[in-house]
Amino acid sequence: MVISLMGIIVGASLILLLIPMIFDYESAVAGTGPLTGGIIAFLVTSEGLKEMGMTSLVTISALILSLQSLFGMPLSQLRSIYRWLSKIFNYTSLMLFKNN
């Protein structure tokens, strides 16, 4: 829990500090919600942006949400992949050892 909380704090802080140097502050805020809260935060952020008349910033929220899924899902599965590969290689090495 502490690791995920620190990740949210660091990620949101970096977005709010670095993005306004390139784009405006509203663009940074539009991307921070979906990064920290997922699909529900995206829906709330997009509704708020539409009410404020900033419909063009909804695409930033959608882009952040999709990129988070694109990179986050494989990274979250690394441990499972490692376990699966270790079972395969341990099994095959045992089979090779027994056959010799």
Side-chain angles (χ1 to χ4, degrees):
M1 183 170 147
V2 174
I3 294 173
S4 62
L5 183 61
M6 290 302 296
I8 289 172
I9 291 171
V10 169
S13 299
L14 286 174
I15 285 178
L16 292 175
L17 290 173
L18 298 177
I19 297 301
M21 293 179 192
I22 303 168
F23 301 106
D24 55 348
Y25 183 73
E26 289 81 14
S27 298
V29 172
T32 305
L35 180 71
T36 59
I39 190 72
I40 301 299
F42 166 72
L43 293 173
V44 171
T45 303
S46 64
E47 286 179 20
L49 289 170
K50 288 176 187 176
E51 288 176 5
M52 293 172 47
M54 300 181 181
T55 55
S56 62
L57 294 179
V58 174
T59 57
I60 293 174
S61 298
L63 183 64
I64 295 294
L65 184 65
S66 63
L67 287 176
Q68 179 186 10
S69 298
L70 179 68
F71 294 111
M73 291 298 176
L75 286 175
S76 66
Q77 295 299 320
L78 284 179
R79 186 173 183 181
S80 299
I81 292 170
Y82 174 75
R83 285 183 188 167
W84 181 71
L85 288 174
S86 67
K87 286 181 183 178
I88 289 174
F89 287 120
N90 285 340
Y91 179 74
T92 57
S93 65
L94 288 174
M95 292 301 290
L96 290 172
F97 182 71
K98 287 181 181 179
N99 291 336
N100 290 333

PDB file of all heavy atoms in Angstrom, residues 3-20:
ATOM      1  N   ILE A   3       3.879   1.544  -1.216  1.00  0.00           N
ATOM      2  CA  ILE A   3       4.527   1.680  -2.515  1.00  0.00           C
ATOM      3  C   ILE A   3       3.572   2.300  -3.532  1.00  0.00           C
ATOM      4  O   ILE A   3       3.952   3.198  -4.284  1.00  0.00           O
ATOM      5  CB  ILE A   3       5.048   0.314  -2.998  1.00  0.00           C
ATOM      6  CG1 ILE A   3       6.166  -0.164  -2.078  1.00  0.00           C
ATOM      7  CG2 ILE A   3       5.527   0.391  -4.434  1.00  0.00           C
ATOM      8  CD1 ILE A   3       6.631  -1.566  -2.352  1.00  0.00           C
ATOM      9  N   SER A   4       2.327   1.847  -3.542  1.00  0.00           N
ATOM     10  CA  SER A   4       1.368   2.409  -4.497  1.00  0.00           C
ATOM     11  C   SER A   4       1.043   3.864  -4.173  1.00  0.00           C
ATOM     12  O   SER A   4       0.899   4.686  -5.085  1.00  0.00           O
ATOM     13  CB  SER A   4       0.100   1.570  -4.543  1.00  0.00           C
ATOM     14  OG  SER A   4      -0.526   1.565  -3.275  1.00  0.00           O
ATOM     15  N   LEU A   5       0.946   4.194  -2.896  1.00  0.00           N
ATOM     16  CA  LEU A   5       0.697   5.582  -2.505  1.00  0.00           C
ATOM     17  C   LEU A   5       1.855   6.483  -2.894  1.00  0.00           C
ATOM     18  O   LEU A   5       1.644   7.588  -3.415  1.00  0.00           O
ATOM     19  CB  LEU A   5       0.439   5.665  -0.997  1.00  0.00           C
ATOM     20  CG  LEU A   5       0.084   7.037  -0.450  1.00  0.00           C
ATOM     21  CD1 LEU A   5      -1.202   7.537  -1.085  1.00  0.00           C
ATOM     22  CD2 LEU A   5      -0.060   6.970   1.056  1.00  0.00           C
ATOM     23  N   MET A   6       3.069   6.004  -2.711  1.00  0.00           N
ATOM     24  CA  MET A   6       4.242   6.791  -3.108  1.00  0.00           C
ATOM     25  C   MET A   6       4.295   6.943  -4.636  1.00  0.00           C
ATOM     26  O   MET A   6       4.666   7.999  -5.141  1.00  0.00           O
ATOM     27  CB  MET A   6       5.530   6.139  -2.599  1.00  0.00           C
ATOM     28  CG  MET A   6       5.697   6.212  -1.090  1.00  0.00           C
ATOM     29  SD  MET A   6       5.697   7.873  -0.447  1.00  0.00           S
ATOM     30  CE  MET A   6       7.147   8.535  -1.199  1.00  0.00           C
ATOM     31  N   GLY A   7       3.909   5.909  -5.361  1.00  0.00           N
ATOM     32  CA  GLY A   7       3.869   5.989  -6.813  1.00  0.00           C
ATOM     33  C   GLY A   7       2.867   7.029  -7.306  1.00  0.00           C
ATOM     34  O   GLY A   7       3.136   7.775  -8.244  1.00  0.00           O
ATOM     35  N   ILE A   8       1.707   7.077  -6.655  1.00  0.00           N
ATOM     36  CA  ILE A   8       0.697   8.074  -7.023  1.00  0.00           C
ATOM     37  C   ILE A   8       1.198   9.480  -6.720  1.00  0.00           C
ATOM     38  O   ILE A   8       1.061  10.392  -7.546  1.00  0.00           O
ATOM     39  CB  ILE A   8      -0.628   7.792  -6.276  1.00  0.00           C
ATOM     40  CG1 ILE A   8      -1.278   6.529  -6.835  1.00  0.00           C
ATOM     41  CG2 ILE A   8      -1.576   8.975  -6.365  1.00  0.00           C
ATOM     42  CD1 ILE A   8      -2.473   6.051  -6.050  1.00  0.00           C
ATOM     43  N   ILE A   9       1.795   9.664  -5.552  1.00  0.00           N
ATOM     44  CA  ILE A   9       2.294  10.991  -5.168  1.00  0.00           C
ATOM     45  C   ILE A   9       3.412  11.448  -6.107  1.00  0.00           C
ATOM     46  O   ILE A   9       3.403  12.577  -6.594  1.00  0.00           O
ATOM     47  CB  ILE A   9       2.762  10.987  -3.699  1.00  0.00           C
ATOM     48  CG1 ILE A   9       1.559  10.842  -2.771  1.00  0.00           C
ATOM     49  CG2 ILE A   9       3.534  12.251  -3.367  1.00  0.00           C
ATOM     50  CD1 ILE A   9       1.913  10.606  -1.322  1.00  0.00           C
ATOM     51  N   VAL A  10       4.353  10.559  -6.373  1.00  0.00           N
ATOM     52  CA  VAL A  10       5.468  10.922  -7.258  1.00  0.00           C
ATOM     53  C   VAL A  10       4.975  11.164  -8.686  1.00  0.00           C
ATOM     54  O   VAL A  10       5.362  12.141  -9.333  1.00  0.00           O
ATOM     55  CB  VAL A  10       6.570   9.836  -7.222  1.00  0.00           C
ATOM     56  CG1 VAL A  10       7.594  10.054  -8.308  1.00  0.00           C
ATOM     57  CG2 VAL A  10       7.236   9.822  -5.856  1.00  0.00           C
ATOM     58  N   GLY A  11       4.110  10.301  -9.188  1.00  0.00           N
ATOM     59  CA  GLY A  11       3.596  10.464 -10.544  1.00  0.00           C
ATOM     60  C   GLY A  11       2.809  11.746 -10.726  1.00  0.00           C
ATOM     61  O   GLY A  11       3.005  12.491 -11.694  1.00  0.00           O
ATOM     62  N   ALA A  12       1.900  12.022  -9.790  1.00  0.00           N
ATOM     63  CA  ALA A  12       1.106  13.248  -9.882  1.00  0.00           C
ATOM     64  C   ALA A  12       1.976  14.488  -9.727  1.00  0.00           C
ATOM     65  O   ALA A  12       1.788  15.484 -10.438  1.00  0.00           O
ATOM     66  CB  ALA A  12       0.011  13.236  -8.821  1.00  0.00           C
ATOM     67  N   SER A  13       2.942  14.423  -8.832  1.00  0.00           N
ATOM     68  CA  SER A  13       3.841  15.571  -8.638  1.00  0.00           C
ATOM     69  C   SER A  13       4.671  15.842  -9.884  1.00  0.00           C
ATOM     70  O   SER A  13       4.836  16.998 -10.289  1.00  0.00           O
ATOM     71  CB  SER A  13       4.775  15.326  -7.455  1.00  0.00           C
ATOM     72  OG  SER A  13       4.034  15.153  -6.272  1.00  0.00           O
ATOM     73  N   LEU A  14       5.188  14.773 -10.491  1.00  0.00           N
ATOM     74  CA  LEU A  14       5.978  14.966 -11.714  1.00  0.00           C
ATOM     75  C   LEU A  14       5.141  15.541 -12.852  1.00  0.00           C
ATOM     76  O   LEU A  14       5.609  16.400 -13.596  1.00  0.00           O
ATOM     77  CB  LEU A  14       6.624  13.646 -12.141  1.00  0.00           C
ATOM     78  CG  LEU A  14       7.810  13.185 -11.301  1.00  0.00           C
ATOM     79  CD1 LEU A  14       8.257  11.799 -11.738  1.00  0.00           C
ATOM     80  CD2 LEU A  14       8.953  14.173 -11.408  1.00  0.00           C
ATOM     81  N   ILE A  15       3.924  15.066 -12.972  1.00  0.00           N
ATOM     82  CA  ILE A  15       3.051  15.606 -14.018  1.00  0.00           C
ATOM     83  C   ILE A  15       2.768  17.076 -13.758  1.00  0.00           C
ATOM     84  O   ILE A  15       2.863  17.908 -14.660  1.00  0.00           O
ATOM     85  CB  ILE A  15       1.738  14.804 -14.109  1.00  0.00           C
ATOM     86  CG1 ILE A  15       2.000  13.466 -14.782  1.00  0.00           C
ATOM     87  CG2 ILE A  15       0.677  15.572 -14.889  1.00  0.00           C
ATOM     88  CD1 ILE A  15       0.795  12.580 -14.872  1.00  0.00           C
ATOM     89  N   LEU A  16       2.435  17.411 -12.518  1.00  0.00           N
ATOM     90  CA  LEU A  16       2.083  18.801 -12.208  1.00  0.00           C
ATOM     91  C   LEU A  16       3.284  19.736 -12.248  1.00  0.00           C
ATOM     92  O   LEU A  16       3.117  20.943 -12.410  1.00  0.00           O
ATOM     93  CB  LEU A  16       1.390  18.875 -10.846  1.00  0.00           C
ATOM     94  CG  LEU A  16       0.007  18.230 -10.797  1.00  0.00           C
ATOM     95  CD1 LEU A  16      -0.539  18.244  -9.378  1.00  0.00           C
ATOM     96  CD2 LEU A  16      -0.956  18.919 -11.742  1.00  0.00           C
ATOM     97  N   LEU A  17       4.491  19.207 -12.110  1.00  0.00           N
ATOM     98  CA  LEU A  17       5.680  20.053 -12.167  1.00  0.00           C
ATOM     99  C   LEU A  17       6.273  20.158 -13.568  1.00  0.00           C
ATOM    100  O   LEU A  17       6.727  21.231 -13.974  1.00  0.00           O
ATOM    101  CB  LEU A  17       6.754  19.529 -11.211  1.00  0.00           C
ATOM    102  CG  LEU A  17       6.471  19.685  -9.719  1.00  0.00           C
ATOM    103  CD1 LEU A  17       7.542  18.972  -8.904  1.00  0.00           C
ATOM    104  CD2 LEU A  17       6.399  21.148  -9.342  1.00  0.00           C
ATOM    105  N   LEU A  18       6.273  19.062 -14.319  1.00  0.00           N
ATOM    106  CA  LEU A  18       6.958  19.055 -15.616  1.00  0.00           C
ATOM    107  C   LEU A  18       6.079  19.450 -16.800  1.00  0.00           C
ATOM    108  O   LEU A  18       6.543  20.140 -17.707  1.00  0.00           O
ATOM    109  CB  LEU A  18       7.566  17.677 -15.867  1.00  0.00           C
ATOM    110  CG  LEU A  18       8.639  17.228 -14.862  1.00  0.00           C
ATOM    111  CD1 LEU A  18       9.105  15.827 -15.176  1.00  0.00           C
ATOM    112  CD2 LEU A  18       9.795  18.201 -14.863  1.00  0.00           C
ATOM    113  N   ILE A  19       4.853  19.010 -16.810  1.00  0.00           N
ATOM    114  CA  ILE A  19       3.989  19.276 -17.957  1.00  0.00           C
ATOM    115  C   ILE A  19       3.707  20.769 -18.154  1.00  0.00           C
ATOM    116  O   ILE A  19       3.697  21.240 -19.291  1.00  0.00           O
ATOM    117  CB  ILE A  19       2.689  18.451 -17.869  1.00  0.00           C
ATOM    118  CG1 ILE A  19       3.004  16.961 -17.923  1.00  0.00           C
ATOM    119  CG2 ILE A  19       1.705  18.830 -18.970  1.00  0.00           C
ATOM    120  CD1 ILE A  19       3.738  16.508 -19.158  1.00  0.00           C
ATOM    121  N   PRO A  20       3.483  21.564 -17.091  1.00  0.00           N
ATOM    122  CA  PRO A  20       3.263  23.007 -17.333  1.00  0.00           C
ATOM    123  C   PRO A  20       4.449  23.724 -17.962  1.00  0.00           C
ATOM    124  O   PRO A  20       4.292  24.820 -18.497  1.00  0.00           O
ATOM    125  CB  PRO A  20       2.976  23.561 -15.934  1.00  0.00           C
ATOM    126  CG  PRO A  20       2.416  22.420 -15.189  1.00  0.00           C
ATOM    127  CD  PRO A  20       3.163  21.225 -15.708  1.00  0.00           C
TER     128      PRO A  20
END
